[in-house]
Amino acid sequence: MGAMIVLGTLTLPGSERCVAHARRFVRDLVGEDHPAADDAELCAGELVTNAVVHTRSGERGHVTIVVARDGDVLEIRVADDGASGDLPHMRDEAFAESGRGIVIVAALATDWGVQAERDGTTTWFRLRG
């Protein structure tokens, strides 16, 4: 894999409304005809939702989405304002009513991960088109 080319970056207020904006932003940058467009939109929405619900981003903070591409590989990063608890992780409860966002990302992405930073957390995933 060569160097990722950033297609776009968007910072939004950490509210429930930002999830729809983030999904639309990803779809617009990836393009309707990209084979991974649906998965990219879904996974990005899950990570932004997690950021709003589980981190300080949802407390008048912000969420930043970065969409990058290297050939047929998409990489999407969602940076939040951090949480006082755990890093994003997969839940053990198979039938939980919530908390399945990372499970969805892990199932669809070719790779994903979490980077703890001083000012927050970045969760990322890659998809092959």
Side-chain angles (χ1 to χ4, degrees):
M1 196 164 78
M4 285 284 174
I5 297 170
V6 174
L7 302 177
T9 301
L10 179 65
T11 299
L12 296 165
S15 69
E16 288 183 27
R17 289 182 48 192
C18 83
V19 176
H21 292 290
R23 290 173 62 113
R24 194 166 34 256
F25 173 72
V26 168
R27 173 146 318 255
D28 288 347
L29 288 179
V30 170
E32 293 287 334
D33 59 337
H34 192 284
D38 291 339
D39 291 347
E41 181 182 0
L42 175 62
C43 290
E46 293 297 329
L47 294 186
V48 171
T49 297
N50 283 354
V52 171
V53 172
H54 299 294
T55 76
R56 288 188 287 274
S57 291
E59 300 165 7
R60 297 187 177 177
H62 294 88
V63 177
T64 299
I65 303 103
V66 178
V67 179
R69 185 176 194 167
D70 177 15
D72 68 340
V73 176
L74 293 173
E75 182 176 279
I76 299 175
R77 296 181 163 271
V78 176
D80 62 49
D81 292 334
S84 57
D86 294 335
L87 291 174
H89 62 281
M90 283 195 278
R91 283 202 148 174
D92 294 333
E93 305 90 25
F95 300 105
E97 288 187 32
S98 66
R100 292 186 298 264
I102 295 296
V103 173
I104 291 169
V105 172
L108 296 175
T110 55
D111 196 13
W112 74 278
V114 179
Q115 291 175 294
E117 299 159 357
R118 194 178 80 223
D119 298 338
T121 304
T122 298
T123 308
W124 58 270
F125 65 90
R126 290 187 188 117
L127 296 167
R128 205 167 273 288

